[in-house]
Amino acid sequence: MLKRYFGRTAAGEAADLYTLANACGVEASITTYGGALVSLKAPDRAGRFADVVLGFHDIDGYLNAEFYPGALVGRYANRIAKGRFALNGVEYKLACNNGENSLHGGIKGFDKAVWSACEIADGDPALELTHFSPDGDEGYPGALSVRVAYTLNQNSELRIDYSATTDKDTVLNLTNHAYFNLAGEGSGDILGHVAQLNADRFTPVDSGLIPTGESRPVEGTPFDFRRPTPIGARVNERDEQLELGHGYDHNFVVNGRAGTLRKAARVVDPKSGRVLDALTTEPGIQLYIGNFLDGLSVGKSARPYGRRSGFCLETQHFPDSPNRPEFPSTVLRAGEKFESTTVFRFSV
Ligand code: GLA
């Protein structure tokens, strides 16, 4: 496993970059800053490699980017309405950083922490990252110990195993916020990519992108990706939910039993032939198509990341679950262990 210096945070903490490689030449690079997936090199149908995730060459790009590229997101990925929730009869107040809501863990979420790293020596190339979040961090209860292992196997699957324990009951929702562009990062928008989601339902939102509580059938809506459909095919249709999300920025309810690793999504770039399958044990997946990317960030290939130049498949619990008893629970009890797995499989 290669390791190099990636730069320093404003507080002077040093971050590194680790590169995992398999025998097919697929490479995944991960930085200890935010545990971010910095690059993923995968072949097209002619065997030509391209870097298929948005990102930056050094830490400075990450310090300046406000769109969570590649990052590990916590404690609570996605939004909690008005930055508050009650647990065991106690009201908790979180940092609000997205209008009146709390997004992706608050002001200094896990994406802005320098994680401790350790190579896992036996088997496929793997990197273990750990992070300790003290009681009260960003308003969340409980001292939380988080472990994330990235493993790249010989089938070109990047597997992400999450686990966590707490000393006090808390809520938790962990994800990875990689933006993929299967034609190569910086090569334009992803509207021609063909997506298929294993989801009969999605969770509609209000204007703050907070779920209304409904779990709505995708049938007959632009959210029906049960058959492979270009991402851009219906994105400009007049649809209340597309308008509220500024495009796709929604949680889909993954079919099948949460807790079992099952197919959540497949995205194909017809031009290069690259295929990305996402499997997860999580109950939901956020399809976010980079609606807020504004072209001001210039990425690894020196080209700007414009609107919809990458898509995210954020495997997760549903947004605002701490305030939604009807959604699968995000409560982690003291003494219990949270475990979750997501696999991104690359093929042609
Ligand atoms: C998420 C959200 C989006 C946006 C991005 C970060 O995926 O759902 O609305 O905030 O993160 O830019």
Side-chain angles (χ1 to χ4, degrees), residues 68 78-79 103-104 177 179 209 249 286 288 292 314:
Y68 306 88
N78 215 296
R79 291 170 178 80
L103 173 69
H104 291 334
H177 206 291
Y179 290 77
L209 291 174
D249 190 355
Q286 183 92 1
Y288 170 57
F292 300 125
E314 301 159 65

Side-chain angles (χ1 to χ4, degrees), residues 80-166:
I80 295 182
K82 303 203 166 65
R84 63 167 75 134
F85 66 95
L87 181 62
N88 301 336
V90 181
E91 171 102 5
Y92 293 96
K93 190 80 196 79
L94 308 171
C96 292
N97 59 333
N98 189 243
E100 57 175 15
N101 303 318
S102 184
L103 173 69
H104 291 334
I107 293 162
K108 188 175 191 274
F110 294 174
D111 62 294
K112 294 178 186 69
V114 177
W115 294 58
S116 302
C118 167
E119 298 177 26
I120 302 174
D122 54 336
D124 291 319
L127 180 70
E128 177 188 79
L129 298 174
T130 51
H131 176 57
F132 176 75
S133 170
D135 187 13
D137 194 11
E138 296 291 309
Y140 289 92
L144 188 82
S145 299
V146 191
R147 174 189 185 268
V148 177
Y150 282 99
T151 307
L152 179 66
N153 71 17
Q154 302 309 322
N155 298 325
S156 301
E157 295 177 337
L158 182 67
R159 179 183 172 106
I160 313 178
D161 291 298
Y162 302 84
S163 64
T165 53
T166 177

